[in-house]
Amino acid sequence: MVEQKQASNVTPGIRKISTGIPGFDLISEGGMPEGGMTLLSGTAGSCKTVFATQFLVEGIRQFGQAGIFVTFEERPARIRSHMTSLGWEIAKFEEENNWAFVDASPYTDGAQVTTGEFSLEGLIARIGYAIQKVGAKRVVMDSLGTMFHQVMDPERLRTELFRVASALVNLGVTTILTAERDSDDSAIMRYGVEEFVADNVIILRNTREIDKRHRSVEILKFRGTRHQKGEFPFTIVDKKGVVIIPMSSIKLQQSSSAKRITSGNLALDNMCGGGLFADSIVLISGATGTGKTLTVTQFLGGGARLGERCLLFAFEESKEQIFRNASSWGYDFEDLEKKGFLKVVCDYPEVTSRDEHFLNIKDHMEAYKPTRVAIDSLSALERVMSHKAFRELVISLTCHFKDLGVAGLYTSTTPALTGGSTITEANISTITDSIILLRYVEILGEMRRGLTVLKMRGSAHNKEIREFTIDSQGMHIGRPFKNLSGILAGNPSLVNAGQEINRIDSLFGDLGARNQTDS
């Protein structure tokens, strides 16, 4: 197989090779340091073996680099079987002379790793032979903890580890060594010496967050080269393996457009200064029943009627409910979907993790290629994750939409029925370009609805609070509320109440006089 060109890091003196693992080359700023030894440490269920195996698989598939898998725990047959579920045909790689196992498991029928005084010389010789046989450039050793259960002398252990590291460096291979942690709060390594031998240290975690397990990866040490700091979430995807989501490494480098598009409502377009920007992110905030879903329907229906491809992610209603509601407002979503102008994806937030929701949205966008995307609602997603995780999700979605140049619309439910101190519970309003508030307004014992454009980044806009009504034709925006204050705070009151009462009394007095005259 012909070796392809790989990404390299710009840091002088340290060249990096692409791992081929989605997202990792971004957070590592180029991949694994070439020719070095990387310690991959994690607790049970943190996907150490999957990560390490994927490093070898993608080395073969993407870069034509053969690999060696040294196993200290499971027999090669079990590894082949387990990895088939991810679409990795290890047996085929072996037949093509691109993959070789060195079986050092306790069940091997070959030479044992230790005889008498602890030594790895026999194992090093076997690894060297396998490397030469297939011309390997990548090596995985899984897992060191199994091999060292019998070793009680830390100094002896460190000496043998240095011997392995030196031998592999001399053979010119890039190596991953996996090892176990007792817990996410314990020491990086069970034996306390392994991390001082390796050039680089990567930690995988599998922590519990609001009744769900959440996996993350952190590059703790990359000797002599730069990398992104902090934890980055990842998940396991069928036919792909580990997919890292570099949420906190996203940069503000998106372009911006001055093109305007319709919101689906002419009166709202006028309030926004001529429509929404084609690549802007709009937040619709309001209490339950104020018309947020109708605003989404107008946004998508207005675009679809113009021949745009529109995508809706619904987390609170089924497709049948959405189609029924849209029909009651004059939009035939079922017909638009049949014609290919609309796609509706419905799911409960609780069915999967934050990371898989994000990847699912990305996959649908990549396949459908919409120009408009709506999420109804963010509040549903917020209830199944922590404040930090939710904010990272919204930032990642926003940046992804902007990278693709699509118009995005989010809805969020405010906790208070009439007003409230915050637009959203997680304070994500600063992330969006435009904010439209929908509010209930109580006037003289009657509940009415009001709308205002609170923010429109890069454009002048109408700042009035206008009353609107909803009927079978959708949303009708009328005149602004006059002589009222405190609407957004949920405490509307008449301005110059005394004058207004006198005006009303005078009005009723005139009506009474006219009635008497008529009599």
Side-chain angles (χ1 to χ4, degrees):
M1 187 178 292
V2 178
E3 184 171 331
Q4 301 176 18
K5 184 178 180 181
Q6 302 180 80
S8 60
N9 187 38
V10 296
T11 304
I14 301 291
R15 185 177 184 272
K16 291 182 178 178
I17 62 171
S18 295
T19 61
I21 298 174
F24 185 81
D25 292 348
L26 177 60
I27 67 172
S28 62
E29 299 190 0
M32 292 286 187
E34 187 177 30
M37 177 174 286
T38 299
L39 180 68
L40 187 66
S41 176
T43 55
S46 58
C47 298
K48 299 183 296 297
T49 302
V50 173
F51 187 105
T53 304
Q54 191 170 349
F55 173 68
L56 296 185
V57 169
E58 298 305 334
I60 296 170
R61 295 201 302 195
Q62 296 189 39
F63 311 114
Q65 292 189 338
I68 304 297
F69 195 107
V70 185
T71 173
F72 296 105
E73 289 186 314
E74 294 186 286
R75 297 298 299 268
R78 288 179 60 85
I79 296 173
R80 293 187 194 99
S81 175
H82 292 166
M83 298 306 165
T84 301
S85 63
L86 292 170
W88 300 338
E89 300 179 4
I90 295 177
K92 182 180 178 181
F93 296 148
E94 291 178 280
E95 292 174 3
E96 296 171 345
N97 204 39
N98 286 315
W99 182 296
F101 279 104
V102 175
D103 188 358
S105 65
Y107 317 105
T108 182
D109 297 327
Q112 297 298 308
V113 174
T114 60
T115 55
E117 187 179 0
F118 182 75
S119 174
L120 288 177
E121 290 182 3
L123 177 62
I124 293 172
R126 293 171 62 195
I127 296 173
Y129 173 76
I131 291 172
Q132 292 179 357
K133 181 181 177 182
V134 301
K137 295 293 184 182
R138 302 183 181 208
V139 173
V140 163
M141 302 179 71
D142 181 47
S143 141
L144 292 182
T146 302
M147 181 176 60
F148 294 143
H149 275 314
Q150 59 186 311
V151 183
M152 303 304 295
D153 184 358
E155 289 302 320
R156 187 64 175 168
L157 176 59
R158 178 179 292 197
T159 299
E160 293 301 322
L161 281 175
F162 270 121
R163 182 181 298 182
V164 172
S166 178
L168 292 174
V169 167
N170 291 336
L171 289 169
V173 294
T174 304
T175 306
I176 288 180
L177 300 90
T178 72
E180 299 82 8
R181 296 180 73 186
D182 292 323
S183 70
D184 288 324
D185 298 324
S186 64
I188 297 172
M189 284 307 308
R190 183 172 292 171
Y191 294 95
V193 297
E194 297 95 318
E195 68 268 30
F196 298 106
V197 178
D199 300 307
N200 320 297
V201 177
I202 299 172
I203 299 176
L204 301 182
R205 296 184 175 92
N206 184 27
T207 55
R208 185 167 179 170
E209 181 181 281
I210 311 183
D211 298 329
K212 289 184 181 293
R213 287 287 173 180
H214 173 72
R215 293 188 175 106
S216 64
V217 56
E218 178 185 5
I219 300 174
L220 185 66
K221 178 179 73 170
F222 260 20
R223 189 172 290 167
T225 184
R226 298 184 307 174
H227 59 86
Q228 297 286 336
K229 305 298 191 297
E231 291 185 54
F232 299 87
F234 74 89
T235 188
I236 305 297
V237 179
D238 290 342
K239 308 302 180 183
K240 290 184 179 180
V242 172
V243 176
I244 297 170
I245 306 169
M247 292 183 174
S248 58
S249 66
I250 296 172
K251 299 179 180 179
L252 288 172
Q253 297 177 344
Q254 301 91 352
S255 60
S256 185
S257 171
K259 178 184 175 182
R260 299 270 188 166
I261 61 172
T262 180
S263 66
N265 186 300
L266 181 59
L268 182 56
D269 290 345
N270 291 333
M271 292 184 68
C272 293
L276 308 173
F277 287 118
D279 57 355
S280 63
I281 305 298
V282 182
L283 174 66
I284 307 296
S285 173
T288 180
T290 50
K292 298 186 297 299
T293 300
L294 170 56
T295 309
V296 170
T297 302
Q298 292 179 151
F299 173 74
L300 298 174
R305 286 174 174 176
L306 294 174
E308 298 183 44
R309 296 170 70 83
C310 303
L311 180 58
L312 169 62
F313 294 97
F315 295 102
E316 293 183 318
E317 295 181 301
S318 68
K319 182 180 289 190
E320 287 72 20
Q321 287 178 296
I322 292 168
F323 285 3
R324 181 201 64 193
N325 295 341
S327 177
S328 69
W329 297 316
Y331 294 90
D332 192 344
F333 270 17
E334 186 173 3
D335 182 62
L336 290 173
E337 190 172 55
K338 288 179 180 178
K339 293 178 179 178
F341 296 119
L342 176 69
K343 182 177 178 64
V344 179
V345 180
C346 302
D347 217 343
Y348 276 118
E350 288 83 0
V351 299
T352 189
S353 67
R354 170 199 66 177
D355 308 328
E356 291 179 353
H357 276 306
F358 177 72
L359 292 176
N360 183 50
I361 291 172
K362 283 187 64 177
D363 289 344
H364 278 290
M365 292 185 68
E366 182 178 343
Y368 186 65
K369 294 180 172 54
T371 56
R372 298 184 182 214
V373 180
I375 296 180
D376 186 26
S377 72
L378 289 182
S379 303
L381 290 171
E382 184 180 6
R383 71 172 181 252
V384 299
M385 59 189 75
S386 67
H387 174 93
K388 177 178 180 292
F390 175 69
R391 184 174 176 82
E392 285 182 346
L393 173 63
V394 177
I395 292 173
S396 300
L397 289 173
T398 300
C399 291
H400 185 62
F401 293 171
K402 286 185 170 292
D403 285 340
L404 297 178
V406 303
L409 187 144
Y410 305 147
T411 69
S412 179
T413 303
T414 54
L417 191 64
T418 55
S421 59
T422 60
I423 298 167
T424 63
E425 284 296 276
N427 298 316
I428 61 166
S429 54
T430 56
I431 301 169
T432 58
D433 300 304
S434 303
I435 299 175
I436 298 172
L437 298 185
L438 307 179
R439 289 287 187 264
Y440 284 117
V441 183
E442 182 184 0
I443 301 177
L444 299 176
E446 182 182 2
M447 293 298 287
R448 301 184 186 180
R449 293 184 178 97
L451 178 152
T452 187
V453 180
L454 184 67
K455 180 176 81 168
M456 186 93 184
R457 209 172 260 162
S459 173
H461 59 89
N462 187 296
K463 298 177 176 60
E464 296 173 321
I465 303 174
R466 292 179 173 267
E467 183 175 6
F468 72 92
T469 58
I470 298 174
D471 60 19
S472 60
Q473 300 301 312
M475 177 185 290
H476 304 279
I477 301 176
R479 295 180 179 180
F481 289 102
K482 295 295 186 180
N483 300 320
L484 282 178
S485 65
I487 293 176
L488 296 185
N491 298 301
S493 59
L494 290 170
V495 178
N496 298 323
Q499 296 179 9
E500 188 66 15
I501 292 172
N502 291 335
R503 187 185 69 80
I504 293 173
D505 288 342
S506 175
L507 177 62
F508 279 104
D510 290 343
L511 289 174
R514 290 179 186 177
N515 289 335
Q516 288 180 353
T517 302
D518 292 339
S519 300

